[in-house]
Amino acid sequence: MKRIEFLNLGRHPITNNFFNKKKNKEFLYNLKLIYHKSTKLISLGKFVPPKKMFNNKYAHRASASKTMQLAYKKLAVFLIKKYKPKSILEIGSNDGCFIKHFKKIKNIGVEPCKNLADITNKLNIKTYPFFWTKKLSKKIINADGKFDIIYSANTISHIHNLKETFEAIELSLNENGIFILEDPSLLEALKKNAYDQFYDEHAYVFSITALKNLVKNTGIEIFEIDKLKTHGGSNRVFFKKKTNRKIKISRNYNKYLLEEKKYGIQNFTTYKKFAQRVKKSKQQLINIFKNIKKNNKIIIGYGATYKSSTVLNYCGINNNLIDYFLDTTPTKFGKFTPGSKIPIHKYKGIPKNVSYAYLGAWNFKDEIFKKEKKYIKRGGKFITHVPFPSVI
Ligand code: JHZ
């Protein structure tokens, strides 16, 4: 399989490594982006060992944003009404934000981060604290049977061995069962110059085109696509068994494949151009920060996201340019951002002496702008790199 590198984003830490002391020797890896000629898949050059990223200290909580709480609830209501499932499995169940809505049927979680699996087990949702593999899928089938729905949001793009992943899903589905995957959209990342969708955990950023190619030789196929606004633009992709002829393949599927083709998702030159835009974005963002800092203004970070780790470490933005981050996630309070070593404080509103905030959580811009009406009214500004570095 021919792999071609198109962007080198430099040395990066583990994005989940929110540490206690500023003096901390961190594990670093080279963040490079690769185009796979045969499948059109876009991946990282070298994967970070999973146990370094997904462990008992996992910080991200799916429930940390109202937007995601509502999105998961809405999806659960839709799935129950449309498919009337008797069983559901979630791969990467995090803190139960989605799977908790299926209490009346058999609902099972898979979550390798033990601190998270403990949360859902306490909610009486049987959760397997292991990585998703064929071996685990067989163990679950033996104990709990197969499933009507398998759901996985922001997780399949984190699993390195996709062949085994899809085979294990196929094994675990009932004959008429469906599998739904939800991950950031490559097309949206390219359009928005959102190079921060690439970090250690995001081994892949999927296009619909690549997903189609990846399942070509398996027993499952795509039958529906929903485009979502969540996480900066995601694709919700529905799969069924190829033998299941009851479910028809939606027109959306071909429509979106064509849209990607027109954009040039299949062409290497698309990625070379993206790389040029990213390099320009870096310079522009650094200039914005430096110009504000020249006037001795305080700049804070809003939302210490994993994504922002890529921006901060690629652009060399550290505590000299961002005074501190505010975040609502308790596991991040009092800690420092990986690599860039910027302190993270508990969010209690934006302090009066702050008039610039870098939008680490740009994907929740609407939710944040609604929440920060007062800050905006008093002239407070946000800095963003998406789609172009600007002060808004
Ligand atoms: P958020 C994580 O990425 C990791 P991150 C993971 N790899 C992935 O794929 C995505 O999630 C889904 C804070 N916040 O969700 C909360 C505020 O402080 O964009 C979170 O720390 N105030 C699994 O980290 C962060 O921002 C607010 O008002 O890039 C958001 O992180 C809001 C709305 C959020 O994912």
Side-chain angles (χ1 to χ4, degrees):
M1 196 161 59
K2 197 164 177 207
R3 298 155 45 102
I4 319 174
E5 182 186 317
F6 60 91
L7 182 58
N8 183 350
L9 292 164
R11 304 276 290 164
H12 285 260
I14 301 289
T15 48
N16 186 50
N17 189 23
F18 297 96
F19 50 91
N20 288 319
K21 283 186 191 142
K22 208 167 183 174
K23 263 196 187 157
N24 181 42
K25 203 168 175 335
E26 289 179 87
F27 168 86
L28 298 173
Y29 71 99
N30 289 325
L31 180 53
K32 293 181 178 175
L33 309 190
I34 304 287
Y35 165 86
H36 295 244
K37 203 168 174 221
S38 59
T39 56
K40 315 300 173 202
L41 181 66
I42 301 300
S43 76
L44 303 191
K46 207 171 171 205
F47 297 141
V48 170
K51 282 187 184 152
K52 280 200 184 291
M53 303 181 280
F54 309 109
N55 47 44
N56 203 16
K57 292 198 175 75
Y58 198 71
H60 174 74
R61 298 288 181 274
S63 304
S65 107
K66 276 204 181 119
T67 311
M68 291 318 294
Q69 285 179 26
L70 290 175
Y72 286 133
K73 192 170 176 195
K74 197 172 154 203
L75 176 65
V77 171
F78 165 79
L79 292 176
I80 291 168
K81 200 168 163 216
K82 173 137 185 162
Y83 295 101
K84 301 178 183 58
K86 292 196 180 66
S87 54
I88 184 160
L89 174 80
E90 185 179 9
I91 305 171
S93 46
N94 198 277
D95 59 1
C97 195
F98 171 75
I99 197 82
K100 70 178 180 197
H101 296 294
F102 294 86
K103 285 244 164 99
K104 288 189 185 151
I105 63 169
K106 183 169 69 186
N107 61 345
I108 307 254
V110 169
E111 178 48 71
C113 304
K114 201 172 166 297
N115 58 331
L116 298 173
D118 285 348
I119 298 175
T120 43
N121 270 320
K122 275 189 196 134
L123 293 174
N124 271 332
I125 300 163
K126 182 173 178 186
T127 310
Y128 288 84
F130 306 115
F131 287 100
W132 177 250
T133 56
K134 245 182 171 171
K135 197 171 157 206
L136 178 65
S137 74
K138 285 179 187 159
K139 184 175 168 170
I140 299 177
I141 293 170
N142 281 337
D144 303 292
K146 298 193 176 195
F147 295 87
D148 290 338
I149 296 183
I150 299 178
Y151 177 71
S152 188
N154 302 300
T155 300
I156 302 300
S157 59
H158 299 51
I159 308 180
H160 301 165
N161 189 341
L162 292 175
K163 188 171 178 286
E164 176 171 352
T165 297
F166 288 123
E167 282 171 3
I169 287 167
E170 189 185 334
L171 263 181
S172 304
L173 272 184
N174 278 325
E175 274 323 293
N176 294 325
I178 59 165
F179 162 56
I180 307 160
L181 149 172
E182 205 172 300
D183 277 294
S185 147
L186 179 65
L187 182 64
E188 289 303 316
L190 295 174
K191 282 184 180 170
K192 295 189 170 93
N193 299 315
Y195 60 91
D196 53 341
Q197 290 289 15
F198 294 96
Y199 52 90
D200 55 349
E201 293 186 9
H202 285 187
Y204 309 98
V205 177
F206 293 129
S207 63
I208 300 166
T209 308
L211 285 171
K212 179 192 168 198
N213 294 335
L214 287 165
V215 296
K216 202 167 141 197
N217 298 321
T218 70
I220 58 172
E221 63 185 352
I222 299 172
F223 70 91
E224 179 62 292
I225 315 266
D226 277 346
K227 291 206 170 203
L228 311 175
K229 284 198 173 148
T230 48
H231 290 298
S234 301
N235 289 321
R236 181 177 286 154
V237 186
F238 293 71
F239 300 79
K240 67 172 185 68
K241 290 205 169 169
K242 286 177 181 164
T243 48
N244 177 355
R245 309 233 180 266
K246 284 185 202 151
I247 300 178
K248 296 274 165 283
I249 298 192
S250 133
R251 280 195 197 152
N252 281 342
Y253 179 30
N254 276 327
K255 187 176 97 188
Y256 293 142
L257 275 177
L258 193 66
E259 186 191 17
E260 288 192 347
K261 195 174 173 198
K262 280 188 181 154
Y263 187 83
I265 280 280
Q266 308 196 6
N267 312 333
F268 183 66
T269 48
T270 302
Y271 303 96
K272 281 309 271 180
K273 283 184 195 155
F274 170 70
Q276 280 158 11
R277 296 200 299 279
V278 171
K279 285 173 195 160
K280 199 168 156 197
S281 172
K282 171 181 178 171
Q283 273 322 312
Q284 290 172 334
L285 189 66
I286 294 172
N287 290 344
I288 288 177
F289 272 95
K290 286 193 173 159
N291 280 334
I292 297 171
K293 270 292 167 197
K294 250 191 229 158
N295 300 317
N296 285 327
K297 298 275 186 205
I298 295 174
I299 305 179
I300 64 157
Y302 197 111
T305 56
Y306 291 42
K307 287 186 289 296
S308 60
S309 178
T310 295
V311 177
L312 303 177
N313 289 295
Y314 173 56
C315 298
I317 295 169
N318 56 21
N319 206 191
N320 295 333
L321 293 175
I322 295 187
D323 295 81
Y324 56 88
F325 263 88
L326 292 179
D327 200 286
T328 51
T329 315
T331 43
K332 296 180 186 174
F333 301 163
K335 305 221 168 130
F336 292 87
T337 58
S340 48
K341 298 184 169 43
I342 301 168
I344 307 168
H345 299 168
K346 179 179 178 176
Y347 172 84
K348 296 184 205 147
I350 303 180
K352 290 259 158 37
N353 62 349
V354 174
S355 45
Y356 290 95
Y358 169 66
L359 259 184
W362 60 267
N363 46 314
F364 294 120
K365 184 174 156 223
D366 293 349
E367 181 177 337
I368 292 168
F369 274 43
K370 231 185 245 170
K371 197 155 107 186
E372 303 303 343
K373 267 188 198 142
K374 275 193 187 158
Y375 169 74
I376 295 168
K377 211 170 161 200
R378 70 167 165 84
K381 300 281 181 205
F382 287 97
I383 304 168
T384 185
H385 65 284
V386 174
F388 301 105
S390 56
V391 179
I392 48 177

